[in-house]
Amino acid sequence: MRRGSKAGMYFRMLYRAAMLRKGQAASALTAIVVAAAAATAMLNLYLDVQTKLQREFRNFGANIILQTKAGEHFTSEDLQTVRDIVGNRGPVVPFAYTVARAANDQPIVVAGTDFTLVRKLDPWWSVSAWPKGDGEALVGVRAARALGASPFILSLHGRDIHFQLAGTVQTGAGEDSRIYVSLEDLHSWAGIEPSVIEVAASGSSADVASLLHQLQQSLPAVDVHAVRQVTEGEANVLGKTRSTLLSSAAFIVCTAALCVLATLVGWVFDRRRDFAIMKALGASDRLIAVFVAGEAVVLACVGANVGFVAGVGIASLIGRVNFNAPVSARLDILPVVLVGCLVVTLLSTLLPLRLLRRIEPAMILRGE
Amino acid sequence: MFVRLVYESFRRQTRRKMLVAVAVTLGAAASTAMIAIATGIGDKISHEFRNYGANLVVIPDEDTLDVQIGSVNLKPSANGAYLEESALPKIKGIFWSNNITAFAPELPVNATLAGRDVTLLGTYFSKSLTFGKETFTTGAPATFPWWKVEGAWPSDDSTDVLVGERLASRIGAHPGSQIQISGVPHRVSGILSTGAGEDGQIVAPLSLAQSLTGRPGLLRSIYVSALLKPEDAFARRDPDTLSPADRDRWYCSPYPQSIAFQLQEAIPHSHAEQIRRVAQNEGNILSRIEGLMLLITIAALLTSGLAVSAAMATAMFERRTEVGLMKALGAGYFTLSMIFLTESVLLAVAGGLAGFAIGAVLAQQLGRTIFGSQIAVAPVLLPVVLAIAIGVTFGGSAVAIRRAVKYDPVLALRGEA
């Protein structure tokens, strides 16, 4: 007999076995596809959620603050150094502070900053309208009540300046008592330069720590510190969410895998008459095992690939619904899912086959 | 006869029934655990968010401006409005008092240290307060969990102080040393590190700050750490414009706005509001995580439903000869369907009950290992899980049963179907 026809016979048997029991083959395949899809979706989400949530956590604002010593200020080279080090990892926002006096001689903190950057840094600010041009100020709600009508006059070291009130800001914290103007306005009015730089750096806590170290190295004269409230809180919430997700993923994948096991074990037991006939016709135990294993491999490969596609779809759907951003498909999950499927299908077909091997074909064919 | 048929089917085909029952049990366990986690996670993560510290602040109603840059408070401590310290225990008397995990009063005063002006912040450390019959302990360490002390926290009735780490390195203070604050010697019980303005300040018991300004029983602000529900459009409405029913609903939801409203009612002459940096972001992330777990739970329910259906369908296909025999003996469509459906319901109930128990244990274990507290599984979940289990086994067997009863008995008995 030629080798080709032997292999041909093998595939014919696999094909016919699937075709003759379409329903059972389909339900076995369904179980595997579902398990593979669940595993893919959960792994994909687990790997992606960290990045997604970290982006959300950056809305908490600055996690690194650079502060000059009293009486000193950041030069534009210093600011550029910080920007170069941080790169595109998040906004770098300079702040300049001084205390001016309002018309009623009330002392009030005036802060100079870059409004487009602050919007990115502190998205929780509830702002009625952002300043657009020179001479416009963003006034804290408490400061606004103390100042009265717009335009208002502020004086510093005997120099008065008029500011137009562009809008108010409410945060429930120190910002409510301050007046925010542009850095240029503050500089031309009082010659005040930035003394604080706030950085909202993205990435894991290790990334942020290394960035902090880098900044400390390149600006030794400056006090660089992490905002512990933000960094520690984030690590906590993120870690626990990931653990929950991982446990949930384990539950779901185990359930689906065990259901595959139950389905395939039932299937193999159901076909004991077929195996008995094959044995009666002269097939060795080994040949039957190879035949069943072949089936299992085909099922696993088809199931894993279809399931992978479905799982990526589910993960990206969840990403879009929940985070308004698709979860990127990770091809490196495919081999993991494929191997998992192969292990589960081979286990759940070859184990029951071993049990059947002990039984004489005659007994099975008699229906005992 | 019907009961006997079902009974015998279970007795004689224990292996097949076991396989299906295992699948149903696992499906029900995963569903129970996932539903419990999805409903409980908001609460747990909300507790974790308390690591971000206070999310509400109470200040005097009469508006005064803070004049503070970094750690330096430039405001003369003599003027401005204050809150009464005696009103503090009432915070534990508001409707959502159980949601308030910690609070700390603050009174910043100006003092001189080594010839320089510094800000001394008075607060509670571990103060016991009594409201009604309830006694509770609160203070800055619980309200601001990221505050770290090298040395010891001062006791609330002492005159010991904490020195911020930046200030300490400037004046060379260390735990146990003595410093002169406005001419009076005080013991430094520890060095405080917060990564914020307090690093350049002195933090002392509230009573010490009050005696420095000569204002016993007064304080400037109260920082409250509360478990909040994420703010939505309803939360932002003005309670005065709501109908009585809506107003009750608003008042009885732990929104930042409604808890602030209740704090304002409890503390005379006060204004309470959310600290948006914490409250807003916390709400956003909380809804994201809750949404994620909800979607995953739906996916998990679908997964276990499909997987159980597949197992059920395979089990049904096995029984064509049995169906053929029954049909040959004269069983009708209805009788056959009833037998199989009864069997699936029995399996579903048994598997559902076992799965519910396993799932509840899983959820609790998970809660304990990850969050250090149990995730409660509501008893109302049991009928839900049972209903899902019955629905899924029904669905899984229905197709197979339909096909089984349509078999030609001759073909089925010959094994050719």
Side-chain angles (χ1 to χ4, degrees):
Chain A
M1 200 187 281
R2 278 178 302 122
R3 217 184 127 62
S5 73
K6 208 169 166 183
M9 178 69 187
Y10 182 70
F11 286 116
R12 215 177 106 114
M13 278 174 73
L14 282 183
Y15 175 74
R16 296 289 294 171
M19 281 302 114
L20 281 175
R21 298 264 158 76
K22 258 183 255 162
Q24 273 156 300
S27 58
L29 191 61
T30 311
I32 296 168
V33 168
V34 167
T40 309
M42 291 307 297
L43 276 175
N44 220 338
L45 277 176
Y46 175 70
L47 293 173
D48 217 70
V49 146
Q50 171 122 342
T51 350
K52 292 268 182 299
L53 279 179
Q54 262 165 2
R55 218 182 47 205
E56 300 284 329
F57 272 105
R58 284 294 48 78
N59 290 338
F60 268 100
N63 48 10
I64 296 176
I65 292 183
L66 297 91
Q67 215 165 353
T68 55
K69 294 202 171 65
E72 294 174 12
H73 62 81
F74 285 107
T75 60
S76 51
E77 290 86 61
D78 291 340
L79 188 60
Q80 196 51 48
T81 314
V82 177
R83 288 216 162 106
D84 289 343
I85 293 173
V86 176
N88 56 2
R89 278 183 276 182
V92 173
V93 191
F95 286 93
Y97 291 102
T98 187
V99 179
R101 286 192 180 266
N104 55 2
D105 210 32
Q106 155 96 46
I108 198 162
V109 176
V110 181
T113 187
D114 183 325
F115 288 115
T116 43
L117 290 175
V118 165
R119 267 180 106 147
K120 266 192 259 169
L121 179 76
D122 298 333
W124 72 87
W125 282 20
S126 168
V127 172
S128 60
W130 288 90
K132 283 175 201 74
D134 290 345
E136 288 198 329
L138 183 66
V139 181
V141 281
R142 285 160 74 188
R145 267 176 298 222
L147 285 172
S150 166
F152 51 87
I153 304 169
L154 294 175
S155 78
L156 181 69
H157 307 315
R159 283 194 62 187
D160 286 1
I161 187 167
H162 287 261
F163 277 113
Q164 248 349 298
L165 187 145
T168 57
V169 53
Q170 183 170 22
T171 68
E175 293 87 353
D176 287 0
S177 316
R178 295 185 194 141
I179 296 173
Y180 283 85
V181 298
S182 71
L183 276 172
E184 294 74 29
D185 280 348
L186 194 62
H187 180 75
S188 60
W189 168 40
I192 309 278
E193 297 285 350
S195 57
V196 173
I197 297 178
E198 297 194 2
V199 180
S202 56
S204 67
S205 49
D207 295 344
V208 175
S210 87
L211 183 64
L212 187 78
H213 186 70
Q214 250 178 300
L215 288 170
Q216 276 164 340
Q217 293 283 304
S218 40
L219 297 164
V222 174
D223 172 34
V224 185
H225 60 261
V227 181
R228 290 243 310 275
Q229 176 185 15
V230 173
T231 50
E232 290 186 6
E234 173 177 337
N236 236 306
V237 175
L238 212 55
K240 304 232 154 148
T241 307
R242 269 170 67 91
S243 313
T244 313
L245 209 57
L246 188 64
S247 322
S248 313
F251 286 174
I252 298 170
V253 173
C254 281
T255 307
L258 286 169
C259 282
V260 169
L261 199 88
T263 312
L264 289 184
V265 169
W267 193 31
V268 171
F269 269 113
D270 184 36
R271 290 165 60 197
R272 57 189 182 280
R273 281 171 69 104
D274 300 0
F275 298 138
I277 292 173
M278 284 161 91
K279 229 173 160 176
L281 289 177
S284 65
D285 282 339
R286 241 186 74 113
L287 189 68
I288 296 176
V290 169
F291 173 68
V292 172
E295 270 183 349
V297 168
V298 171
L299 271 178
C301 289
V302 174
N305 283 299
V306 175
F308 178 77
V309 173
V312 166
I314 294 168
S316 91
L317 185 75
I318 289 181
R320 207 162 327 195
V321 170
N322 200 45
F323 294 101
N324 303 320
V327 173
S328 46
R330 300 182 68 123
L331 281 177
D332 47 342
I333 295 175
L334 184 57
V336 178
V337 173
L338 192 61
V339 170
C341 279
L342 280 173
V343 170
V344 171
T345 47
L346 284 175
L347 258 179
S348 50
T349 45
L350 294 181
L351 277 184
L353 203 63
R354 272 189 80 86
L355 293 177
L356 286 179
R357 204 188 276 181
R358 291 195 218 113
I359 303 165
E360 287 297 310
M363 286 170 76
I364 296 178
L365 288 172
R366 269 211 317 260
E368 287 171 8
Chain B
M1 181 64 192
F2 180 77
V3 176
R4 227 181 99 181
L5 267 174
V6 174
Y7 171 73
E8 288 295 317
S9 155
F10 272 88
R11 201 175 67 88
R12 299 197 177 204
Q13 301 174 333
T14 325
R15 181 188 52 76
R16 287 180 200 172
K17 294 287 185 294
M18 280 301 284
L19 281 179
V20 178
V22 164
V24 177
T25 307
L26 286 169
S31 311
T32 309
M34 284 309 297
I35 294 176
I37 292 168
T39 48
I41 186 123
D43 194 39
K44 300 288 171 216
I45 295 286
S46 193
H47 269 282
E48 291 305 317
F49 266 112
R50 300 290 26 86
N51 285 316
Y52 274 96
N55 43 16
L56 296 165
V57 62
V58 188
I59 50 172
D61 187 26
E62 187 193 317
D63 242 343
T64 50
L65 290 184
D66 295 331
V67 189
Q68 180 162 1
I69 300 175
S71 58
V72 190
N73 193 342
L74 300 149
K75 187 181 202 82
S77 47
N79 64 12
Y82 293 91
L83 295 170
E84 301 273 345
E85 188 185 355
S86 56
L88 281 178
K90 288 193 205 154
I91 291 177
K92 274 289 179 180
I94 67 166
F95 183 81
W96 281 108
S97 57
N98 286 337
N99 278 34
I100 294 189
T101 54
F103 60 86
E106 283 194 356
L107 176 65
V109 299
N110 290 353
T112 49
L113 178 71
R116 287 172 69 174
D117 278 345
V118 291
T119 300
L120 182 142
L121 190 70
T123 187
Y124 286 165
F125 296 103
S126 178
K127 179 91 167 174
S128 287
L129 296 170
T130 312
F131 180 80
K133 284 187 189 122
E134 199 191 345
T135 305
F136 55 94
T137 305
T138 189
T143 315
F144 312 108
W146 67 93
W147 284 21
K148 296 261 162 15
V149 161
E150 183 204 331
W153 294 95
S155 101
D156 280 297
D157 45 14
S158 69
T159 55
D160 295 351
V161 296
L162 294 175
V163 179
E165 59 176 2
R166 221 158 352 113
L167 183 63
S169 68
R170 211 173 65 208
I171 61 166
H174 55 86
S177 65
Q178 294 274 335
I179 53 169
Q180 298 271 335
I181 302 172
S182 302
V184 183
H186 289 278
R187 199 176 74 88
V188 176
S189 75
I191 304 300
L192 178 70
S193 152
T194 71
E198 296 83 9
D199 283 351
Q201 301 179 341
I202 299 172
V203 179
L206 184 64
S207 52
L208 177 64
Q210 286 169 342
S211 68
L212 274 175
T213 43
R215 290 175 187 278
L218 295 181
L219 49 97
R220 177 79 76 191
S221 53
I222 309 164
Y223 285 89
V224 181
S225 192
L227 303 174
L228 302 178
K229 183 176 174 178
E231 176 183 308
D232 52 26
F234 180 64
R236 283 188 280 269
R237 287 174 64 182
D238 180 3
D240 293 336
T241 63
L242 294 173
S243 70
D246 277 350
R247 198 188 135 91
D248 280 351
R249 189 157 72 85
W250 184 87
Y251 195 87
C252 299
S253 305
Y255 291 126
Q257 284 86 346
S258 43
I259 295 191
F261 185 82
Q262 290 162 13
L263 287 170
Q264 231 162 278
E265 286 179 330
I267 312 250
H269 313 297
S270 70
H271 170 78
E273 66 178 307
Q274 53 174 315
I275 299 172
R276 293 181 64 91
R277 179 179 196 172
V278 180
Q280 291 286 312
N281 288 315
E282 171 186 338
N284 283 342
I285 295 178
L286 203 58
S287 10
R288 293 270 191 258
I289 293 177
E290 279 183 323
L292 178 70
M293 289 315 287
L294 182 73
L295 290 170
I296 287 179
T297 304
I298 294 174
L301 291 180
L302 285 176
T303 305
S304 35
L306 280 170
V308 171
S309 295
M312 196 67 200
T314 326
M316 281 310 301
F317 276 115
E318 276 190 70
R319 303 175 64 183
R320 343 179 254 294
T321 37
E322 204 183 319
V323 175
L325 187 63
M326 288 202 243
K327 276 179 98 169
L329 292 174
Y333 183 93
F334 179 76
T335 325
L336 274 176
S337 312
M338 278 315 286
I339 291 173
F340 290 128
L341 289 181
T342 314
E343 281 182 23
S344 359
V345 170
L346 281 174
L347 274 174
V349 170
L353 281 174
F356 180 78
I358 296 174
V361 172
L362 275 178
Q364 280 184 358
Q365 279 299 326
L366 183 123
R368 218 168 310 160
T369 42
I370 297 180
F371 297 102
S373 61
Q374 290 197 354
I375 289 182
V377 179
V380 71
L381 208 54
L382 179 59
V384 174
V385 169
L386 279 184
I388 294 175
I390 292 173
V392 165
T393 36
F394 242 82
S397 47
V399 183
I401 292 173
R402 274 247 312 274
R403 287 189 58 172
V405 282
K406 274 193 198 141
Y407 287 142
D408 185 339
V410 180
L411 290 180
L413 285 172
R414 269 212 319 249
E416 288 174 5

